[in-house]
């Protein structure tokens, strides 16, 4: 027996106008969308949803507290209703309209008055609209057995998922279950942001709830130095994907009657690959210039970069979707970065926690300022990690460049709790091109090549089960390389000169002492120095020749020591108490009076105050960067020219602590803690995990990024994570 809906659909088919895409009123219904993500949570209330029916009409609805939106509800008539949505295929879009309050990213670090912050970004607040990141991956009408997968979730705007909407169960309503990706997760540790403690508490609870539902595993990624906050990317529109000169808008292949504004649509929070960007760039080149869309076209590079910024976003907020996408691709077992995620893969797609911090400083060459900001960010990160650990969530951390300092600072704090409370609670720390000293994770504190008492994290190793270091001697930012694509490589890299006069020496430390007692002490010294310069007869006095030995100099040393010891006693018992004089060294949980590192900090601060915040040039030497040398000096005993270290050199460079935890007989030895992977054969830029994805700029043969993906993303990150942990819901699912 033919159903009522089938009879009406047959009538509609006979009365559909080919020119106007409009039909008779024979079959209309009310569409009820039930919106949930792949973790089972309903989408937030207040999101505006536009439904587009076959005639091109738009039917607006708003998601309620149960995750339901209703569309095509007409005025009530005696028969019980007047539905408005034409039967047939429909699609829908989530809008980025402020109908619901924007969501401020998790906030843990407030702007602190009294410290002169010198940052590139004046506003460092991340605001997500409630719809952002909820990308549609499948839908199913309630009376159908199977779901309809999205053709490609990344093209939901230009090629949307469509589904038949018709009467169900003899009524006028059509119920459809829509499934989306979970929302993005960001942890904002930047200074210049505005938020309240209520937002903070709500955000951390939401973070933990989502991670619990997504396998109870958090994978954090921390970006590096000189990365501004940036912005997220948009969906490509139909016009971006298709050459509209040859498209008839009355064609049923065109999803909308009028061009769509991508700025009004939700942000996808997804990454577009080189293949996709190249196709988009070719389309724009063909449309705008009427020229050949060949890759060799001189306009191609310019258009490509603009396309990248439009759809992948910029800076920190583009790093997170990038790493997230390729980690998911690796977790799904794909060996080729150009492979597509299947419908099943999209079902398991997991969000990483993107950690952003104030690493973009001014002037940009003052690396020390960024290092101290990284220490502060690490202290705040430690508080969040504590909450994750207490919620019994497994943790993996991946860092790039100076992001390694943020992670090591947090672990250094967690590793210094009594009773080993947080020992080995982080499954994996993977440091990619780490901009820290090659002995940063040692447990043996030393003053050698540690001019400001900031190079080492002596407790960090306790908090993590495994540390994996991916390094390259062709990273021209971190060290010398004539092969590197980085400009600094030919002069030995920028890292080795981080305390030089060119980099502002150590003057950035002065920012922390503008409005406290140390500032007053410094002013007294400056007063004496001015007298020495101005009064000729006074310049030979003991105060001018050796102020440090005068009664005033002795008093100053005692006063600085007193201030630091008083603060150390006050803050060491509670990580939540704010630091003042000790803030540049925020990477320590407590400051044990008499310990090697605390006495070193005291001497460093005193000497800087006495010497106009400058390091003597003889003390500017630092060890090479971990991301450039790996374990060559500390473990393998190899000098820069690959010759073995002499016995004298070994005393200077070899680190028995790191060596003891690296050189184990078996990779599966439970006492082995440090792993090193040399990427020098293929990793020829400091940020090659991103830069060489773009084939039109990659002049190497063979192409660089496929090897980076296969060897670094898959083999040395994802496979290693899955050995003792998991990635989202990909629990030990290593598909080779």
């Amino acid at each position: 027996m033919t159903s009522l809906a089938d009879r009406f659909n047959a009538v509609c088919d006979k009365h559909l106008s080919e020119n106007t895409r409009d039909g008779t009123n024979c079959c209309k219904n009310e569409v009820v969308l039930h919106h949930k993500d792949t973790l089972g949570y309903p989408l937030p209330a207040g999101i505006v949803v536009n439904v587009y029916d076959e005639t091109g009409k738009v039917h607006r609805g708003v998601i309620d507290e149960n995750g339901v939106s209703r569309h095509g509800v007409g005025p009530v008539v005696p028969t019980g209703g007047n539905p408005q949505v034409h039967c047939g295929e429909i699609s829908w879009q989530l809008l980025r309209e402020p109908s619901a309050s924007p969501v401020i990213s998790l906030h843990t670090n407030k702007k602190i008055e009294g410290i002169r912050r010198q940052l590139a970004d004046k506003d460092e607040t991340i605001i997500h609209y409630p719809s952002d990141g909820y990308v549609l991956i499948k839908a199913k009408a309630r009376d159908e057995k199977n779901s309809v997968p999205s053709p490609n979730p990344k093209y939901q705007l230009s090629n949307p998922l469509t589904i038949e909407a018709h009467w169900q169960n003899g009524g006028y309503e059509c119920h459809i279950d829509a499934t989306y990706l979970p929302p993005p997760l960001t942890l904002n540790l930047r200074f210049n942001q505005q938020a309240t403690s209520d937002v903070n508490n709500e955000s951390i609870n939401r973070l933990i709830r989502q991670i619990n539902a997504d396998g109870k595993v958090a994978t954090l990624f921390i970006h590096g130095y000189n990365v501004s906050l940036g912005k997220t990317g948009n969906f490509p529109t139909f016009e971006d994907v298709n050459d509209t000169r040859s498209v008839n808008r009355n064609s049923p292949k065109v999803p909308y009657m009028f061009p769509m504004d991508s700025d009004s649509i939700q942000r996808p929070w997804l990454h577009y690959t080189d293949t996709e960007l190249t196709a988009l760039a070719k389309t724009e080149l063909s449309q705008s210039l009427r020229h050949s869309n060949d890759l060799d076209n001189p306009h191609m590079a310019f258009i490509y970069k603009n396309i990248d910024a439009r759809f992948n976003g910029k800076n920190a907020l583009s790093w997170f979707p990038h790493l997230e996408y390729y980690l998911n691709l690796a977790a799904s077992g794909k060996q080729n970065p150009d492979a597509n995620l299947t419908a099943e893969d999209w079902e398991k797609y997991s969000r990483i926690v993107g950690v952003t911090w104030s690493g973009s400083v001014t002037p940009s060459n003052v690396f020390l300022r960024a290092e101290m900001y990284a220490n502060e960010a690490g202290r705040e990160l430690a508080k969040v990690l504590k909450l994750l650990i207490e919620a019994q969530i497994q943790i993996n951390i991946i860092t790039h460049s100076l992001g390694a300092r943020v992670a090591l600072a947090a672990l250094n704090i967690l590793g210094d709790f009594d009773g080993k409370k947080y020992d080995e609670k982080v499954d994996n720390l993977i440091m990619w091109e780490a901009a820290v000293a090659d002995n940063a994770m040692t447990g043996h504190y030393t003053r050698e090549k540690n001019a400001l008492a900031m190079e080492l994290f002596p407790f960090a190793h306790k908090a993590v089960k495994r540390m994996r270091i991916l390094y390259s001697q062709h990273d021209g930012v971190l060290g010398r390389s004539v092969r590197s694509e980085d400009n600094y490589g030919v002069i030995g890299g920028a890292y080795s000169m981080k305390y030089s006069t060119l980099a502002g020496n150590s003057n950035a430390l002065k920012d922390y002492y503008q409005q406290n007692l140390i500032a007053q002490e410094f002013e007294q010294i400056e007063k004496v120095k001015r007298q020495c310069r101005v009064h000729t007869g006074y310049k030979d006095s003991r105060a001018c020749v050796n102020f440090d030995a005068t009664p005033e100099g002795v008093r100053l040393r005692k006063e600085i020591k007193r201030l630091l010891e008083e603060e150390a006693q006050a803050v060491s018992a509670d990580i939540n108490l704010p630091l003042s004089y000790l803030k540049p060294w925020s990477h320590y949980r407590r400051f044990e009076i008499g310990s090697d590192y605390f006495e070193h900090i005291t001497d460093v601060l005193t000497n800087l105050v006495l010497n106009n915040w400058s390091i003597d040039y003889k003390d500017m030497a630092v060890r090479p960067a971990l991301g450039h040398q790996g374990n060559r000096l500390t473990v393998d005993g190899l000098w820069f020219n690959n010759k073995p270290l002499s016995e004298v050199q070994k005393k200077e460079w070899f680190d028995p602590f790191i060596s003891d935890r690296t050189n184990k007989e078996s990779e599966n030895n439970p006492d082995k803690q440090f792993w090193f992977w040399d990427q020098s054969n293929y990793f020829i830029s400091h940020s090659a995990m991103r830069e060489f994805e773009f084939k039109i700029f990659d002049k190497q043969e063979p192409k660089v990024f496929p090897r980076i993906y296969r060897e670094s993303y898959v083999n040395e990150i994802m496979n290693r994570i899955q050995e003792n942990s998991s990635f989202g819901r990909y629990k030990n699912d290593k598909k080779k």
Side-chain angles (χ1 to χ4, degrees):
M1 181 177 179
T2 306
S3 68
L4 180 64
D6 289 337
R7 291 199 298 273
F8 269 86
N9 283 331
V11 173
C12 285
D13 287 341
K14 295 179 181 179
H15 292 275
L16 185 65
S17 168
E18 294 181 359
N19 295 322
T20 65
R21 292 171 35 158
D22 198 3
T24 67
N25 292 329
C26 59
C27 180
K28 292 183 179 180
N29 56 37
E30 176 186 340
V31 172
V32 183
L33 295 175
H34 300 261
H35 309 269
K36 286 187 177 181
D37 64 28
T38 57
L39 305 178
Y41 292 114
L43 269 60
I47 296 176
V48 177
V49 184
N50 277 356
V51 165
Y52 307 87
D53 67 19
E54 276 194 344
T55 70
K57 291 181 179 178
V58 182
H59 307 273
R60 177 166 293 207
V62 180
I63 297 178
D64 65 18
E65 62 276 6
N66 297 313
V68 176
S69 63
R70 293 180 174 271
H71 306 267
V73 182
V76 176
V77 296
T79 58
N82 184 21
Q84 301 294 306
V85 182
H86 282 256
C87 294
E89 286 192 341
I90 65 167
S91 64
W92 59 93
Q93 299 293 340
L94 307 184
L95 303 188
R96 204 175 198 244
E97 293 188 358
S99 299
S101 298
V103 179
I104 299 177
S105 174
L106 176 61
H107 172 281
T108 60
N109 204 351
K110 298 210 174 184
K111 185 177 180 181
I112 300 176
E113 300 301 328
I115 297 179
R116 184 175 60 182
R117 301 293 186 192
Q118 299 191 41
L119 298 167
D121 293 335
K122 300 302 180 185
D123 183 4
E124 297 185 314
T125 305
I126 302 176
I127 296 180
H128 299 300
Y129 279 83
S131 61
D132 286 349
Y134 283 109
V135 179
L136 183 65
I137 63 169
K138 68 177 182 177
K140 184 180 84 68
R142 284 278 172 95
D143 62 349
E144 297 291 338
K145 291 183 179 180
N146 299 318
S147 296
V148 177
S150 169
N152 186 335
K154 290 190 281 187
Y155 293 90
Q156 173 59 22
L157 182 56
S158 58
N159 185 22
L161 183 156
T162 59
I163 192 168
E164 283 286 335
H166 48 258
W167 295 349
Q168 296 173 359
N169 300 321
Y172 291 95
E173 290 186 344
C174 175
H175 289 261
I176 295 174
D177 293 314
T179 305
Y180 303 81
L181 295 182
L185 296 172
T186 52
L187 176 60
N188 190 356
L189 305 179
R190 291 179 178 256
F191 297 121
N192 289 346
Q193 54 177 313
Q194 302 296 322
T196 66
S197 58
D198 291 338
V199 170
N200 179 39
N201 293 334
E202 178 186 349
S203 298
I204 190 67
N205 290 335
R206 185 173 63 250
L207 178 81
I208 291 175
R209 184 172 66 248
Q210 182 168 329
I211 293 171
N212 271 328
D214 196 16
K216 292 185 70 67
V217 183
T219 299
L220 286 69
F221 171 71
I222 311 173
H223 66 72
Y225 167 62
N226 204 23
V227 179
S228 297
L229 183 59
K231 69 178 188 68
T232 54
N234 293 359
F235 274 118
T237 65
F238 181 83
E239 289 70 26
D240 292 322
V241 174
N242 299 278
D243 189 344
T244 54
R245 293 173 299 167
S246 60
V247 173
N248 179 1
R249 262 201 186 276
N250 288 323
S251 167
K253 293 182 180 180
V254 181
Y256 314 106
M257 290 187 69
F258 304 100
M260 297 284 286
D261 177 17
S262 61
D263 286 335
S264 67
I265 306 298
Q266 64 170 130
R267 299 292 183 267
W269 201 269
L270 288 173
H271 176 72
Y272 293 86
T273 66
D274 168 76
T275 301
E276 293 161 334
L277 292 177
T278 300
L280 291 165
K282 284 183 175 181
T283 299
E284 181 168 319
L285 184 65
S286 177
Q287 288 178 336
S288 61
L289 299 175
R290 308 295 192 268
H291 290 159
S292 166
N293 59 14
D294 188 80
L295 293 180
D296 293 329
N297 189 293
H299 301 280
M300 192 64 174
F302 175 77
I303 290 177
Y304 190 102
K305 289 180 179 179
N306 286 339
I307 290 285
D308 181 30
R310 282 172 57 194
F311 304 124
N312 281 332
K314 294 181 179 179
N315 302 328
L317 295 184
S318 71
W319 271 90
F320 302 149
H322 179 281
L323 267 291
E324 179 181 270
Y325 178 78
Y326 285 112
L327 290 173
N328 274 277
L329 196 69
S332 72
K334 308 294 189 299
Q335 294 293 318
N336 184 344
D338 292 328
N340 294 320
L341 292 173
T342 65
E344 180 184 358
D345 297 330
W346 283 115
E347 288 263 12
K348 297 175 76 173
Y349 194 91
S350 295
R351 297 295 191 180
I352 65 172
V353 182
V355 181
T356 185
W357 59 284
S358 296
S360 182
V361 301
T362 57
S364 60
N365 62 319
V366 184
F367 187 74
L368 171 60
R369 181 171 288 127
E371 287 188 306
M372 292 184 291
Y373 291 175
N375 290 342
E376 292 187 64
R379 192 174 191 83
E380 298 302 318
L381 176 60
K383 299 173 186 177
V384 177
L385 294 180
K386 282 174 76 275
L387 295 174
L388 296 179
I389 292 168
E390 290 160 6
Q392 297 184 328
I393 289 172
Q394 290 180 270
I395 300 169
N396 298 298
I397 303 174
I398 304 171
T399 71
H400 174 239
S401 189
L402 194 55
R405 175 173 285 273
V406 177
L408 288 171
L411 296 174
N412 200 52
I413 289 169
L414 293 179
D416 191 24
F417 275 84
D418 293 328
K420 301 181 178 180
K421 188 175 181 179
Y422 298 106
D423 282 11
E424 296 189 350
K425 295 301 190 218
V426 173
D427 288 344
N428 295 281
L429 170 63
I430 299 172
M431 294 182 284
W432 217 341
E433 302 306 298
V436 296
D438 69 338
N439 66 336
M441 63 279 201
T442 187
H444 293 156
Y445 191 85
T446 176
R447 295 193 180 197
E448 292 297 321
K449 295 181 174 57
N450 185 15
L452 298 178
M454 292 187 192
E455 300 296 290
L456 306 179
F457 304 84
F459 305 106
H461 70 278
K462 296 182 179 181
V464 63
K465 293 177 183 176
R466 295 184 177 189
M467 289 190 193
R468 184 168 294 274
I469 294 90
L470 280 64
Y471 70 96
S472 172
Q473 291 189 282
H474 293 299
D475 182 332
V477 169
L478 298 183
R480 179 175 297 280
S481 173
V482 295
R483 184 185 168 195
S484 173
E485 294 291 314
D486 302 309
N487 295 330
Y488 290 104
V490 295
I491 60 172
Y495 179 85
S496 61
M497 298 180 287
K498 64 179 183 175
Y499 294 148
S500 69
T501 304
L502 178 65
N505 201 282
S506 58
N507 274 297
L509 265 163
K510 189 177 180 179
D511 295 348
Y512 289 82
Y513 304 101
Q514 298 293 311
Q515 300 178 19
N516 54 34
L517 292 176
I518 288 182
Q520 298 177 22
E521 297 292 346
F522 179 71
E523 180 57 32
Q524 291 297 320
I525 298 174
E526 286 297 289
K527 183 178 180 180
V528 172
K529 290 181 177 179
R530 284 194 295 270
Q531 289 177 330
C532 293
R533 288 193 298 267
V534 173
H535 301 289
T536 306
Y538 189 65
K539 66 179 181 180
D540 294 328
S541 68
R542 187 167 60 146
C544 296
V545 175
N546 187 7
F547 174 82
D548 197 13
T550 66
E552 181 64 14
V554 173
R555 184 201 64 78
L556 182 141
R557 280 191 173 276
K558 290 182 178 179
E559 178 62 10
I560 293 178
K561 187 176 181 66
R562 181 188 68 80
L563 291 171
L564 294 183
E565 289 183 350
E566 283 186 358
E567 183 173 313
Q569 291 176 334
V571 303
S572 292
D574 187 353
I575 190 179
N576 293 306
L577 292 176
L579 301 180
S580 177
Y581 299 108
L582 291 165
K583 184 172 285 294
W585 297 273
S586 293
H587 56 299
Y588 285 102
R589 174 192 167 238
R590 52 188 169 187
F591 299 86
E592 186 179 354
I593 297 173
S595 65
D596 290 342
Y597 65 89
F598 182 74
E599 295 305 312
H600 191 192
I601 290 170
T602 303
D603 291 343
V604 165
L605 183 56
T606 305
N607 291 334
L608 288 173
V609 173
L610 286 167
N611 293 287
N612 194 28
W613 305 102
S614 297
I615 310 174
D616 189 280
Y617 76 93
K618 293 179 293 185
D619 298 322
M620 289 181 186
V622 295
R623 290 187 65 109
L626 180 62
H628 188 265
Q629 286 297 309
N631 61 335
R632 291 166 54 80
L633 290 168
T634 55
V635 177
D636 293 341
L638 291 176
W639 192 239
F640 296 98
N641 55 7
N642 290 326
K643 292 184 178 179
L645 298 178
S646 67
E647 291 303 314
V648 174
Q649 289 172 327
K650 278 188 177 181
K651 291 180 180 179
E652 181 178 7
W653 299 104
F654 188 79
D655 191 300
F657 181 91
I658 297 175
S659 178
D660 183 56
R661 285 159 178 77
T662 303
N663 289 331
K664 300 298 180 182
E665 294 179 359
S666 169
E667 287 289 298
N668 298 320
N669 190 315
D671 295 327
K672 183 177 176 69
Q673 188 178 21
F674 303 139
W675 280 260
F676 295 84
W677 176 253
D678 188 352
Q679 306 174 114
S680 300
N681 288 334
Y682 59 91
F683 209 91
I684 58 174
S685 168
H686 184 57
S687 301
M689 72 283 290
R690 290 204 61 187
E691 293 176 358
F692 279 92
E693 175 194 2
F694 309 135
K695 294 174 187 169
I696 66 171
F697 303 125
D698 183 358
K699 305 304 181 184
Q700 304 293 318
E701 289 296 341
K703 299 300 184 185
V704 172
F705 188 74
R707 188 172 178 187
I708 290 174
Y709 171 76
R710 186 175 62 254
E711 297 199 27
S712 295
Y713 276 99
V714 178
N715 294 340
E716 294 306 317
I717 296 180
M718 186 52 61
N719 287 353
R720 301 292 82 80
I721 284 177
Q722 292 184 338
E723 284 176 350
N724 71 322
S725 187
S726 57
F727 178 76
R729 285 164 287 166
Y730 291 94
K731 291 186 179 297
N732 297 312
D733 190 14
K734 294 181 291 186
K735 303 173 184 176
K736 299 295 176 105

